[in-house]
Amino acid sequence: MEPVQLFVPTFRVEETLAAIRVCLEKGWTGLGFKTVEFEEAWKQYSGLPHAHFLNSATAGLHLALRLLKENDGWRDGDEVITTPLTFISTNHAILYEHLRPVFADVDEYLCLDPVVVAARITPRTRAVMFVGMGGNTGQFAEIVRLCRERNLRLILDAAHMAGTRWQGQHVGAEADVTIFSFQAVKNLPTADSGMICFREKKLDDDVRKWTWLGINKDTYSRTLEQAAYKWYYDVEHEGFKYHGNSIMAAMGLVALKYLDQDNAYRRQLATWYDTFLQGQVETVPIPPECESSRHLYQVQVENRDQVMLALNEQQIYPGVHYRDNTIYRMYEYAKGTCPRAFEASQRLISLPLHLRLSYTDVERVSHALIRAVSFLKSCG
Ligand SMILES: Cc1ncc(COP(=O)(O)O)c(C=O)c1O
């Protein structure tokens, strides 16, 4: 029996190697060249007005908070409303800027519940951080409305959302800043990289300095200028080494060509799962206006850990997205504040979902899951 893994990235190997070769032959693997090309291609694809290529989405989440804090004059200890059901990058980024993560509960889509978010707003709330779980938009439109009404900044952690559309438009335009991940197992795989897309031009201009140590002109632009005194750049403030490089951008440019096709196949896999699991296992809904990237296919079961072990015995290796962050020691000040996320985090399983799976694989995983769930139920 072949093992079935949660994620296996698919790279178009020859095409990707050819794109990388161009960088090697030109002698330009760093910031500029392919990173510029990829930013343009991403803007074209997503319809977002600005895009800056980074070495990860984690860096992007940090920069989102750094720049909004700086621009809007937030103070240390100001609050950002966030979800406990996410990868810890989301919440660590809030702490990097000495802001306070205030956890709000999730809804049936496993995304922030706007009613709970509204109840968590205080005079110190500055922003809401929304995570599109597995590519799902959940009630994002309600969150957008709430943030506009209450004059709060909106950050969209779109790590799972490359290719997600809402009412036919790529997600991201409604947020003040949207951050995508192109890490190896994401829908647009490189090895590690990400994209930050600010709505305002000023913040997009600023972020380019923050990703390269505060230097106000990158080496590539200086090389293009061919002017004398190229070394006379200025350093306006401190910054980070967060920009992306041309090797990752070359990989990303190839992957982008296949993103819609790949996501369509992911949705096909999800439809097959839906068919097999219907009426047998609880799945996570997706609103009808959302064309999800389908980064994840999540189910909720009783006896989750035993179900996982039973699947492992069948050489099936699913995952869990995520454990409720408030059970971790550093966030336990918020333990018990988000009961729905806590309960989900004990019942969730992400089933294998990647481009190498076939109809037969989905059938095998589904039947093994149904058998495990009903066997454990019969054991009481
Ligand atoms: C919801 C979420 N946010 C942020 C990240 C961080 O992405 P990266 O690995 O590109 O830093 C991830 C990655 O797994 C994620 O799943």
Side-chain angles (χ1 to χ4, degrees):
M1 238 184 332
E2 278 289 303
V4 183
Q5 304 292 348
L6 169 64
F7 294 137
V8 182
T10 291
F11 297 103
R12 275 70 187 188
V13 175
E14 293 311 319
E15 206 177 338
T16 306
L17 287 174
I20 292 173
R21 174 179 282 276
V22 174
C23 301
L24 302 181
E25 283 174 350
K26 184 180 172 73
W28 201 285
T29 54
L31 169 66
F33 183 39
K34 288 280 178 187
T35 67
V36 179
E37 215 182 293
F38 191 29
E39 288 172 356
E40 289 309 312
W42 184 254
K43 285 195 285 183
Q44 185 81 29
Y45 171 80
S46 66
L48 299 176
H50 308 292
H52 182 45
F53 188 52
L54 305 171
N55 60 19
S56 71
T58 303
L61 292 163
H62 179 200
L63 290 163
L65 290 151
R66 173 88 283 262
L67 272 90
L68 292 175
K69 186 183 185 200
E70 174 102 353
N71 187 73
D72 295 3
W74 300 351
R75 320 256 305 242
D76 285 0
D78 281 351
E79 296 168 0
V80 178
I81 299 178
T82 183
T83 171
L85 213 57
T86 185
F87 186 58
I88 43 165
S89 293
T90 317
N91 293 320
H92 279 11
I94 300 170
L95 293 180
Y96 294 160
E97 285 302 316
H98 311 288
L99 299 163
R100 185 169 174 79
V102 171
F103 292 94
D105 214 345
V106 298
D107 55 16
E108 69 269 32
Y109 306 108
L110 306 178
C111 296
L112 277 180
D113 182 335
V115 175
V116 187
V117 171
R120 295 282 201 271
I121 297 172
T122 75
R124 295 205 73 177
T125 308
R126 301 288 171 252
V128 174
M129 175 82 94
F130 187 93
V131 176
M133 174 69 93
N136 201 333
T137 51
Q139 300 188 68
F140 184 62
E142 283 302 312
I143 298 280
V144 171
R145 203 165 303 137
L146 179 67
C147 287
R148 286 186 186 152
E149 244 170 57
R150 305 295 293 267
N151 199 23
L152 301 173
R153 291 289 200 168
L154 177 54
I155 302 164
L156 177 59
D157 178 341
H160 301 172
M161 300 182 105
T164 288
R165 292 183 176 83
W166 169 260
Q167 296 181 336
Q169 298 269 70
H170 199 282
V171 288
E174 312 79 3
D176 290 289
V177 49
T178 301
I179 301 102
F180 298 91
S181 173
F182 307 138
Q183 180 261 343
V185 302
K186 298 299 192 294
N187 291 41
L188 193 161
T190 62
D192 255 316
S193 64
M195 196 74 86
I196 187 164
C197 303
F198 279 103
R199 192 167 48 191
E200 292 162 43
K201 180 174 185 317
K202 177 191 176 297
L203 294 174
D204 178 66
D205 288 342
D206 288 349
V207 79
R208 291 162 197 279
K209 293 173 234 166
W210 281 98
T211 55
W212 199 45
L213 303 153
I215 296 173
N216 71 0
K217 206 180 247 189
D218 70 61
T219 320
Y220 191 68
S221 334
R222 282 185 276 127
T223 305
L224 286 182
E225 277 170 18
Q226 304 293 339
Y229 304 113
K230 282 187 222 164
W231 54 93
Y232 272 54
Y233 56 76
D234 195 7
V235 184
E236 299 176 25
H237 48 67
E238 86 276 16
F240 310 103
K241 184 84 164 93
Y242 278 175
H243 62 78
N245 67 59
S246 284
I247 301 291
M248 290 303 114
M251 294 183 78
L253 277 160
V254 174
L256 179 57
K257 290 202 316 203
Y258 298 95
L259 180 59
D260 282 342
Q261 177 188 321
D262 290 353
N263 284 350
Y265 189 62
R266 287 171 173 276
R267 285 192 292 276
Q268 174 65 78
L269 293 167
T271 306
W272 288 332
Y273 273 129
D274 284 342
T275 313
F276 287 120
L277 300 177
Q278 197 177 23
Q280 313 264 357
V281 178
E282 187 182 335
T283 56
V284 177
I286 292 181
E289 302 94 328
C290 172
E291 185 181 75
S292 170
S293 62
R294 273 297 183 185
H295 178 58
L296 299 176
Y297 189 94
Q298 293 173 290
V299 297
Q300 301 199 54
V301 298
E302 299 304 316
N303 309 303
R304 191 266 316 278
D305 293 349
Q306 287 108 306
V307 171
M308 290 288 264
L309 291 177
L311 292 173
N312 291 171
E313 274 171 24
Q314 301 299 312
Q315 306 247 52
I316 296 167
Y317 301 98
V320 171
H321 297 86
Y322 292 90
R323 296 187 74 206
D324 171 2
N325 285 193
T326 69
I327 64 171
Y328 297 134
R329 201 173 316 163
M330 61 180 300
Y331 294 116
E332 70 184 359
Y333 63 85
K335 202 169 175 178
T337 59
C338 302
R340 199 163 186 171
F342 180 70
E343 201 209 317
S345 109
Q346 291 179 308
R347 301 180 68 230
L348 279 171
I349 297 181
S350 301
L351 298 180
L353 188 61
H354 58 80
L355 304 175
R356 301 184 192 196
L357 295 179
S358 64
Y359 176 84
T360 323
D361 295 322
V362 171
E363 184 177 34
R364 180 178 143 204
V365 173
S366 303
H367 287 162
L369 176 67
I370 292 166
R371 267 199 312 275
V373 167
S374 52
F375 175 73
L376 287 159
K377 201 176 194 174
S378 71
C379 298

